[in-house]
Amino acid sequence: MREIIIGGGQLGAIQKSESRAKVVQRMLALLEQAREQGCELVVFPELALTTFFPRWYMEDQDEVDTWFEREMPSDVTRPLFDFSREHGIAISFGYAELTPEGHHYNTSILTDRQGQIIGKYRKVHLPGHVEFDTERDFQHLEKRYFEPGDLGFPTWETQDTVMGMCICNDRRWPETYRVMGLQGVELVLLGYNTPSINSQRQSEGEEHRLFHSQLCMQAGAYQNATWVVGVAKAGIEDGFPLMGGSVIVDPNGFVVAKAEGQGDELIVHACDMDLCNFGKTTIFDFARHRRIEHYGIITRQTGVQRP
Ligand code: ING
C-alpha cells in the first residue's frame, strides 16, 4: 500500500495590510498541526502569501509588482522550507511569481520532504478581465496582472507516486485533469481563491459556487482515477468574501475530508495511492478505451463553431 498522509492547509482571510511574515507564521502553525498528525505532504491555497490582490484595479506597475515574489525561497518564506526539511513534510503553495526576465505568473510550487523545490506550475486558465469593469460589483483582474502559464501541466514522480498541480480556475476545465491523467497522475494538488458570490450575477451565491467547485474536483478525480486535494483561501478580505470548502477527493470521486469553517483549518487524510490502480486498469484504462481519432477538435478549435 502506497499511503501518503496528506494535509490541506486552508487559510482564512488575508487582509490587504497583512504582512507576508504574518501569513508565514499562520502557515507554520498549520504545518505544526500537520506534523502532530503525521502528515508527509501539506497543500496550501493559491496566492497563499497575500490577499487576493487581483480584486484591486492598479495602473502603476511598481505597485502591482509589490504583490509578486522575485525569488523562492526568499528570506520571508524560507522558514516554510526549513520546517519541511526539519520535519520531513513536503509542501505545496501558490504565489505571484515575477521572473528575472520580467514575466508575471500565478504560480505554485511543490517540494520533496527535504524542503527542495522539485516542481513548478504556472496557472494556464486565467479568469476575469484586463480593464476596469464598471458592470461588476468587484473586479477580477487576473488577465491584467498575470500571463498564461508557459509550462503546460507537468507531473513529477515523488514520494512513490505521480503528482501534478493546477490552480483555481484550472479545476473547472476537464482538459486540465486529462492532460495530467495521460501522464498517469495519481495526486493532483490545487489551491483556489474563489469569491463567494458572482460579481456578474448576484443570484449565484456561495452554495451554488461550493457545488460547482466540488463537482469539478470530484469529476476530475473520478474521470482520471486520481486523488485531488483542493485547498481554499477563505474568509472575508477587506469586505470581500471568499468561499471555503477545501476537500480531499479519492480516485472514485468521493470526498473523504472537507473543511468546515472559513478560517485557518487543517484537513487530513491517509491517502492510499494504490486506490488509483483499479480505475486506471479498468473503466479509465485510456490505452484500451480512448478513441483519439474523434477528439481532434479539442486542440484544433478554441471557441464554439455551431454546425
Ligand atoms: N477564482 C475563481 C475560480 O475559478 C471564478 C474565478 C469563480 C470563475 C467562479 C468562474 C466561476 O474559482 C480564481 N482565482 O480563478
Side-chain angles (χ1 to χ4, degrees), residues 58 91 116 185:
M58 293 172 273
I91 58 176
Q116 293 299 312
V185 77

Side-chain angles (χ1 to χ4, degrees), residues 56-186:
W56 303 109
Y57 180 74
M58 293 172 273
E59 292 188 333
D60 174 2
Q61 191 60 44
D62 289 340
E63 180 187 3
V64 173
D65 290 352
T66 63
W67 297 106
F68 284 76
E69 312 306 319
R70 287 165 171 75
E71 55 182 350
M72 190 57 69
S74 56
D75 291 345
V76 73
T77 56
R78 197 172 313 286
L80 298 169
F81 296 85
D82 293 345
F83 192 102
S84 167
R85 184 183 64 253
E86 286 158 15
H87 300 290
I89 302 175
I91 58 176
S92 178
F93 65 87
Y95 63 95
E97 176 191 14
L98 175 52
T99 71
E101 300 74 29
H103 294 290
H104 296 74
Y105 298 110
N106 188 337
T107 295
S108 64
I109 51 102
L110 169 64
T111 76
D112 60 18
R113 298 180 64 184
Q114 290 73 44
Q116 293 299 312
I117 294 176
I118 56 169
K120 174 180 281 190
Y121 169 74
R122 289 167 173 161
K123 187 174 183 178
V124 166
H125 298 100
L126 296 171
H129 46 105
V130 174
E131 299 306 330
F132 189 88
D133 183 343
T134 55
E135 298 302 306
R136 288 175 183 248
D137 298 334
F138 51 86
Q139 305 300 304
H140 196 115
L141 293 155
E142 290 195 60
K143 290 186 192 293
R144 182 181 182 84
Y145 300 134
F146 300 117
E147 298 169 57
D150 60 347
L151 303 174
F153 297 99
T155 58
W156 299 272
E157 184 85 44
T158 178
Q159 298 199 51
D160 195 19
T161 191
V162 178
M163 291 190 203
M165 287 185 279
C166 65
I167 297 175
C168 203
N169 195 256
D170 288 322
R171 74 189 187 284
R172 302 180 189 279
W173 301 92
E175 295 90 339
T176 300
Y177 303 94
R178 186 47 49 88
V179 170
M180 290 188 273
L182 287 165
Q183 300 172 67
V185 77
E186 297 169 307

Side-chain angles (χ1 to χ4, degrees), residues 46-47 52 54 106 123 125-128 140 142 146 167-173 191-195 197-198 200 204 209 212-213 242-243:
E46 170 189 31
L47 296 175
F52 184 70
N106 188 337
K123 187 174 183 178
H125 298 100
L126 296 171
H140 196 115
E142 290 195 60
F146 300 117
I167 297 175
C168 203
N169 195 256
D170 288 322
R171 74 189 187 284
R172 302 180 189 279
W173 301 92
Y192 61 87
N193 287 211
T194 301
I197 49 178
N198 185 328
Q200 297 173 290
E204 184 180 312
R209 298 205 128 184
H212 282 157
S213 177
L242 295 172
M243 66 179 215

